[in-house]
Amino acid sequence: MSEPITLNVGGKLYTTSLSTLTSFPDSMLGAMFSGKIPTKKDSQGNCFIDRDGKIFRYILNFLRTSHLDLPEDFQEMGLLRREVDFYQIQPLIEALQEKEVELSKAEKNAMLNITLDQKTQTVHFTVREAPQIYSLSSSNMEVFSAHIFSTSCLFLKLLGSKLYYCFNGNLSSISSYLQDPNHLTLDWVASVEGLPEEEYTRQNLKRLWVVPDNKQINSFQVFVEEVLKIAMSDGFCIDSAHPHTSDFMNNKIIRLIRYK
């Protein structure tokens, strides 16, 4: 065994051996600790790597055992994928790909349930008619809410890659609002004729878009059509038993299922 080496990875300390770090010479770590790439030091003299410290434990354990061991409730696959890509440990890249295929197969049987709600509210705003002249105006606005549950975490991530909020002049993926891997709540409004763009930001009103079609969702009918399109492309079909036909036709409940 070689002398211990302490690493500071994103502020988290790990102690290992040089032989472990160089066990895959063609990797980023192999190049760093064989002298091919210069390493940085922190104030304590530890080798510093400016990457995610929490995720590094899985990478270091792979260097030690050649096995990718993840907890059953692991929810940071995207972050792990980016870190693995940075360190360029080829056997780990292959192990991660196998793990993702395994997880995907395990999620083939899945259920998707969406409960929809819609209401009308009055929005008040000012309209600039001349440089120093403003008038107060009001209009009715459609407000939508969709509560989405799916046993497939991967499907919700797929949905997040297709639906975007429009707010403050920017589009942002709804994935950033996915705090629970199985639940997602969407709240948005339809466009209001005559409402100045800055009023949407001032009143914290988000609109919903589908990409890459760049289509704005101004009604539940369009929302249902787009969600069905995305879900069916992922193998889902409409559950013939639930919900009741009247609820489905009235856009209150959508339930879809997927079998292997």
Side-chain angles (χ1 to χ4, degrees):
M1 293 287 290
S2 56
E3 289 294 319
I5 295 177
T6 298
L7 306 179
N8 178 345
V9 184
K12 199 168 181 61
L13 298 181
Y14 293 90
T15 299
T16 185
S17 66
L18 180 63
S19 59
T20 295
L21 293 171
T22 57
S23 54
F24 296 97
D26 294 334
S27 68
M28 178 67 74
L29 291 170
M32 290 173 64
F33 290 95
S34 64
K36 295 179 182 177
I37 297 177
T39 58
K40 297 179 181 180
K41 304 284 186 180
D42 65 11
S43 59
Q44 303 300 315
N46 302 314
C47 295
F48 176 72
I49 303 176
D50 190 16
R51 301 296 299 187
D52 190 279
K54 179 181 175 183
I55 291 294
F56 186 73
R57 62 173 294 200
Y58 304 109
I59 293 162
L60 182 57
N61 283 338
F62 184 87
L63 295 178
R64 292 166 171 159
T65 66
S66 294
H67 290 281
L68 177 59
D69 297 309
L70 300 175
E72 291 186 4
D73 60 347
F74 185 72
Q75 301 295 337
E76 298 182 293
M77 194 64 74
L79 177 57
L80 177 60
R81 191 183 306 114
R82 287 190 292 274
E83 295 303 293
V84 168
D85 184 62
F86 171 78
Y87 290 107
Q88 283 298 299
I89 304 167
Q90 190 58 40
L92 177 54
I93 293 174
E94 295 170 1
L96 181 59
Q97 290 172 343
E98 291 176 3
K99 177 66 73 173
E100 289 181 315
V101 169
E102 178 185 323
L103 292 174
S104 177
K105 288 181 178 178
E107 284 198 330
K108 286 299 181 183
N109 282 342
M111 185 268 286
L112 171 64
N113 195 85
I114 304 176
T115 304
L116 305 172
D117 186 36
Q118 178 180 358
K119 62 182 180 180
T120 302
Q121 72 178 43
T122 302
V123 58
H124 303 281
F125 55 95
T126 56
V127 178
R128 186 177 183 180
E129 298 180 346
Q132 301 297 327
I133 301 176
Y134 294 85
S135 63
L136 182 63
S137 183
S138 63
S139 182
N140 289 332
M141 169 182 286
E142 297 301 320
V143 181
F144 307 104
S145 180
H147 301 280
I148 305 171
F149 168 79
S150 179
T151 56
S152 171
C153 305
L154 294 178
F155 173 74
L156 286 188
K157 291 180 180 178
L158 172 64
L159 197 64
S161 70
K162 303 291 186 180
L163 299 179
Y164 280 66
Y165 277 135
C166 177
F167 184 70
N168 198 21
N170 299 308
L171 289 178
S172 61
S173 170
I174 64 169
S175 294
S176 58
Y177 297 84
L178 188 61
Q179 297 180 345
D180 183 320
N182 296 106
H183 294 85
L184 176 65
T185 298
L186 299 178
D187 297 290
W188 76 98
V189 301
S191 290
V192 175
E193 186 176 355
L195 181 64
E197 187 66 30
E198 60 271 16
E199 285 292 325
Y200 289 97
T201 301
R202 191 181 69 83
Q203 300 194 36
N204 196 30
L205 302 172
K206 294 189 287 288
R207 288 161 290 176
L208 193 63
W209 289 72
V210 179
V211 296
D213 298 339
N214 290 327
K215 179 192 295 185
Q216 184 176 350
I217 298 179
N218 269 327
S219 68
F220 265 148
Q221 180 178 349
V222 174
F223 177 77
V224 170
E225 289 173 355
E226 294 299 329
V227 170
L228 287 177
K229 188 187 306 181
I230 296 168
M232 290 181 174
S233 71
D234 200 43
F236 282 91
C237 62
I238 297 173
D239 189 340
S240 58
H242 299 281
H244 190 275
T245 305
S246 61
D247 283 336
F248 186 86
M249 296 305 293
N250 290 329
N251 292 340
K252 293 180 180 178
I253 300 174
I254 303 173
R255 182 170 178 177
L256 299 102
I257 52 177
R258 183 177 66 193
Y259 299 111
K260 288 184 180 179

